[in-house]
Amino acid sequence: MSGIASSMASTSAPPNTDLSNLVSALDVIYNPRSSNEDRKNATLYLEEAKAQPGAASHGFALAIDTSHPAVVRHYGLSLLEFSVKYKWHDLLEETGAAVTDWVFQLAKSVGPNEPSYLRNKIAQIWIEIAETCWIERWNSMDEMLTQLWEASPAHQAIVLYILESLSEDSVAKDKGDGVPQTSDLFRACSEIFNPLQILNEQCPDRAGMIPIRCGTMGWMDRLWTWLRGSLAQPSMTNTTEETCVQVMRTLHSVMPWIVLRSIIDCDGISLLAKALGTGSTGIRTAALEVLYALYHRPRYSDSEVVALACPFLTTQGISLLRRSYESIMADLEDLDDLQYLCLRRHSEVMCSLSSFLEQRPNLVVRNSDLRATLDFLLVILQNPSHVASIPVLHSISKLFVIESSDITNGLTQLIGPLLEICRRRLLKCEYMASESSDITLRFLTEDFDTIPERHAFVGNYRRYCATVVERIVDISPFEAMQYILSQVDDEIVAVFKEEQSFDPQQFNSYALRVLQVDAQASLVTSAVKGYLNWLQFCSREKAQEQTQAREQVFRDLENWCNKLLSMECKNPAIQKRIEQLLCEITTSFFPLDSPLPIRICERIFEHSGPSVAPSTLYGEAVRELVSYRPRMLQKLAMRFADLFMKYYEQIEAGVNRIFSQNGIEAKLKAEYQSALLISIQRSSSISDHEKHSKLKQMTQPIIAMWRNEDFARALEDFGSFCQLLGIEEIPEYFLACKAHSLADWSSYQLDERGKQLREKASSQPDTLPLQLTRSLLAASTDRVRPRTPEFDSALAQWRDGIPVILPNLLRLLGHSHGFGSPEKWSNFPDQMRVIVQRLLVDRVWQSGISSETREDFFVKIRDSRTKLEGLASATRAAVRGVREQCYWILHCMSQFGDAFYGHLDLPEPLANALYDDASSLSSHQTCALLKLTGTIVDGCPPASRGHYLPPLITKMLVRIDQKLISEWESMEQKTYDSANEQGLDQEMKSESVLRGLTGAAVNLVSSWIKQRAPKPNDYHKDSPSIFAIILGNHSILSNLIPFCTHVLRMRDSRSCVTIIQALRDLLAEVVPASISSQEGEPRFEVDKGTAIEIRDYIASEVLKAAITSLNESYFADIQRELAALIGAILSRISPHSQTPRGVLLSLPNMSEDHVDSALRKLTGLDGEAGETRIMSERKQKTFVLDFLEGLRGKAIAEQGKIFGSDPRRVQKDRKTNNQAWMPLDGQQQQQQVTLGQDGQSAGLGITRGESPELTGVAEMFG
């Protein structure tokens, strides 16, 4: 045995391979006594045999001989398949048309006991040949399939596999490699499936079609006929049942495109109804899938709806579906996977049938049993499985808005059961204990593998339930509101009675009673929304007729709210939800003179004592309740400003009582003071003078704090900044604890000094004017539109303070950004840099990635407060608080227009404060900075853009480009460095956050490029658009385009697609089209020298980056977008520059004639003299993909299918391009990219940062 294997390894499979050697090699591989070395040699021999001449004939010889074992025959089929897939032209030269006869002989040789993997392999080879040369070389294929169909069940299985695959491939949008399908396969499938008579009537242009069909019957006729005969049998064998399922799977594949009349003529609906009446769950499920595919087609005529959909909406049809459904529900506690799938298919089919009611209500109602249909929808909705019932829930929510009296009356009769279902399903059951015996929770647990998926799904389900409640109240406002309020009142009263024995030690924010109250509150909120919607759209006459009923609803709701106000619950989670509900109802429903807001204020002032220390879950919940109340007061003040001013003295006194309490937090004080400011600013009941005077009294003390000279001196250097925050001693403490050598800070207990430092870091930042300034500014600008009295009041209030606040604010921001900069810690030992790096790592919980639940994460945070990690967290919070509050203040100031942007000396200091030390921020912190930048840039008045935006945008592009490049390089290093044993969840978190940062930067830049004026005359010459500012500033452009180029190489597909479109937009404006077209000339004038620099850079660096990404497998899914960019560059720039031609010629196997021919086609200059032919964008993409076929990367799913043992790749001839790609030789594979001296790009005169490493295609450019 060893000798045979050694001989195989040394001979390297000669052209005339001995079949006995192949059989012997297979025996070596599958013999358990073979050594690993012998198996390796035998495997290598067999792989090399695939690439040798005659491999296909050897494969056929092995496969057709039934005396060989199955593994030998399977290897023979693999030899034949490899030749068909990857050596098709060589195979045609060797065998001619014999290969089609071979596969037919193989199919005929299949016996009843043939292993399924052999049958499937034969079918796969058949499909591959058909997709390659069906119309051109294999006109008899349909006849062969017909012969096989009439042979035996085993042959029928092969035929059905082939037909199903061809049908699915014919309508696929694109294949695995991204190449768009031609219509030849679809036309051929349509030719053999549809009956000849229907084709002649509906496709008169098929006269020139090559005859490929067998007889006048199509496969639709054959399949329906066979199904009719099988279903008529009194009993079925297992083989017949399996074939029935396969037949319906094939029918399912053709439903999206088959001519509907062929289904009608064959009486397909009645046959599917018979299938639903069988006792086989598999057949019923397959029949339902056929119906679902059929009813999901986008276009139906009225006659087709009546013939195909209405039969299942009649009394008999609904009865059949209901019996099938209830037969499975009878054994709900012991469902297998197939039965559960069948349940879900019933729901999906009824959802599809309901869509016909939505689209053609009058037609369907006339031809159906509406009451039976709605009753069955209700039965499915009651299914305890959310997944099984959500399609019907969605359908019901849409049926309510149909303008049909019959449907509305039918739904009105179901209001009671629907409200009860929605009331129960609004419960957040995903938070219930996993050990609960509730069957709904059990279904959810089995349906979703991860908690985030479950939460997202159930959240959508509850939104549908809320929509149904809204629409029920909309069609029956008075009865529904009365019923809902009575039901909710009983439920809440019962919960409050149970909570009388509440124990804080047993508190759980997701206890069942908390969830029940939340569900009832959501129900009332949805009902109020529905009632308000009815009030808004009902006619005036109807509203007047129902005045008494409307007044009764108002009184009932007011009394109910007063009752809630009088009830007290010791559970803070329940109390908070009740107060949220009261605030929502009050601000949306009651009139401006209602006394209810004042009663709510009185309750707030009575119960807003200092919060409990947040050392337990109960303490956290109490703190959240106390923190919510001032926000509730702000919402009420915004809605009832005049009412608040009427009782202003009482409200102010209540706020002062809260301020007098010990332990009140600075943030709470600021929030309450903001509520007072809102009531003054938004009130119309006081004079402007009095309003201005009151507002000034509130803001002058704050401005005085910013003007304080001691405060300004404390911001002169970084050390005094740390003293200001109370964190100046923390570095020495970390060094003393040797924190740099501790692996887990959360396990190191703080001593008394450490606890004192943590307390100081937590409390001292409150002495800064940041929190109060931020709260009052936010209150002044929240939901305030320019050129309104409220805006004018806010502007007058803050105009004089902005120039006072800004200098010290920018110093604070700069120091907070520089906290992580190594230069700030140069006076400390080297270990301090390690400590600072760890100190700045925020602990982040991310849905779908973190292995722990959100609640467990916060418990871990709370438990670490007395540990070294708690001190680190307090330090981070102090610095983060300064940074985020500075962001908020700048955001609010930017809404004041010229009062903020009008300071001519602001742009440079602002840009420096924002971005000088931005590289030390983490990725998610940088996202917040980008959001602020977007707000500032977008809010800049047109007249100020010219002097204000260039410094900010330029510095942002430089820093963000450097940040992204370094972060992606670090991510690549972590991915490929096996020594870095980082936890998978942490690595996924880091990558997710980095993708978020990349997307935020790309979306921001893309939005600026899109902000183009429709016409140049729309803007005054001194008020250019943001895009015009970008094009007119060399500094911005010289950083913008390299940034976009670098993004093309970052492994974030979504960002790449966005930046590709941005580059195409930029290219369209900067480089004129090669020939006249509808696109027209650029609408913005660009300096000629700058335009040439941009053109040369895009033609070189951007083109190289796009081709490089096209070569990588990661970007396989966006190859069409990359091709669009490459096509735009070549078509626009090639007529003006030889640079694109040079880049293409530097690629392997690119001849001058081939490149020149392609460029002529892309630029439209390949016609007769003086004639131009513009290539559409879609054709341009296809042409570029075909032109660069040999360089395109393969998706992961396609890798390993191309090369086998042969490193060469032989491309099939295409009708659009007869140029065959040749294999890359070793010399070409070693060629390098030439980017210019020292990595400097030509033309733009900038030094590029390091790009992500360009492997693979970097070797292609000569």
Side-chain angles (χ1 to χ4, degrees), residues 907-908 910-912 914-916 918 930 933 936-937 945-963 1004-1005 1008 1026 1029-1043 1244-1247:
E908 288 289 349
L910 177 62
N912 294 337
L914 289 175
Y915 285 102
D916 271 355
L930 286 173
T933 305
I936 293 175
V937 172
R945 288 171 180 165
H947 82 277
Y948 198 95
L949 298 186
L952 179 59
I953 294 178
T954 300
K955 183 151 284 191
M956 186 218 80
L957 289 170
V958 172
R959 294 290 186 263
I960 295 301
D961 195 18
Q962 294 171 351
K963 176 75 174 176
L1004 183 59
V1005 170
W1008 294 338
I1026 296 176
I1029 293 293
I1030 291 174
L1031 288 183
N1033 190 282
H1034 185 275
S1035 177
I1036 296 179
L1037 278 175
S1038 63
N1039 290 284
L1040 172 66
I1041 302 179
F1043 166 79
L1244 285 179
I1246 59 170
T1247 301

Side-chain angles (χ1 to χ4, degrees), residues 264-394:
I264 299 172
D265 290 354
C266 295
D267 200 17
I269 295 299
S270 65
L271 291 175
L272 292 173
K274 286 185 179 179
L276 284 173
T278 64
S280 168
T281 304
I283 291 178
R284 281 187 286 166
T285 304
L288 289 167
E289 288 179 340
V290 174
L291 289 172
Y292 182 70
L294 172 63
Y295 296 148
H296 247 59
R297 291 175 61 131
R299 288 180 294 275
Y300 275 83
S301 66
D302 286 353
S303 60
E304 290 167 346
V305 171
V306 172
L308 297 174
C310 289
F312 274 108
L313 292 174
T314 61
T315 305
Q316 295 80 5
I318 291 295
S319 176
L320 176 64
L321 287 168
R322 186 163 179 169
R323 286 198 306 271
S324 174
Y325 175 83
E326 291 176 343
S327 67
I328 301 174
M329 288 292 292
D331 196 19
L332 189 61
E333 294 291 336
D334 192 25
L335 292 179
D336 58 29
D337 290 342
L338 184 59
Q339 290 173 322
Y340 186 47
L341 177 63
C342 191
L343 273 184
R344 292 166 57 182
R345 294 295 178 261
H346 279 88
S347 179
E348 290 165 356
V349 167
M350 286 305 300
C351 175
S352 300
L353 287 169
S354 298
S355 66
F356 291 106
L357 268 175
E358 301 163 24
Q359 297 160 9
R360 295 178 174 89
N362 296 328
L363 175 68
V364 176
V365 167
R366 287 197 306 269
N367 295 275
S368 64
D369 186 341
L370 181 61
R371 180 59 188 269
T373 300
L374 295 177
D375 286 344
F376 186 38
L377 289 175
L378 181 64
V379 168
I380 297 177
L381 185 61
Q382 292 169 335
N383 192 302
S385 167
H386 281 58
V387 173
S389 60
I390 193 170
V392 165
L393 177 63
H394 182 48

Side-chain angles (χ1 to χ4, degrees), residues 22-24 26-27 30 61-77 114-115 117-118:
L22 297 176
V23 176
S24 299
L26 288 165
D27 182 61
Y30 289 99
L62 290 173
I64 198 66
D65 189 349
T66 56
S67 64
H68 286 309
V71 293
V72 174
R73 297 178 62 198
H74 187 270
Y75 174 73
L77 292 172
E114 202 79 69
Y117 61 86
L118 286 181

